[in-house]
Amino acid sequence: PSLAILTPYRKQLERLNTALWHGPASARLQRFEPVGGAYVHTVDSFQGNEADIVIVSLVRNNHHHALSR
């Protein structure tokens, strides 16, 4: 099956790629087919494509906003 991991942020894409390829998940990741030659994409760059499995990461870290807001 094909796998795509999507994020709206380019910096998060870079961090996800680093974590995936340098962590324990890298061996298991190769069980899946990448879409367009990559597993991790920004939401914008993935438009028009499809994958059997899609993981969407919507994490955001903004030091200007507190949790109470």
Side-chain angles (χ1 to χ4, degrees):
S2 57
L3 170 68
I5 302 169
L6 307 181
T7 177
Y9 308 108
R10 180 161 302 282
K11 189 69 171 177
Q12 189 175 4
L13 177 144
E14 294 167 6
R15 288 185 179 209
L16 284 167
N17 268 325
T18 299
L20 288 172
W21 291 111
H22 293 81
S26 63
R28 291 187 297 262
L29 187 63
Q30 295 177 9
R31 295 181 193 173
F32 301 97
E33 289 294 321
V35 177
Y39 292 102
V40 186
H41 305 267
T42 62
V43 173
D44 291 336
S45 71
F46 194 74
Q47 283 186 325
N49 290 303
E50 55 184 52
D52 296 317
I53 301 167
V54 177
I55 299 170
V56 180
S57 177
L58 300 174
V59 174
R60 182 174 179 185
N61 183 8
N62 187 338
H63 68 279
H64 297 291
H65 291 89
L67 183 60
S68 62
R69 290 187 177 177

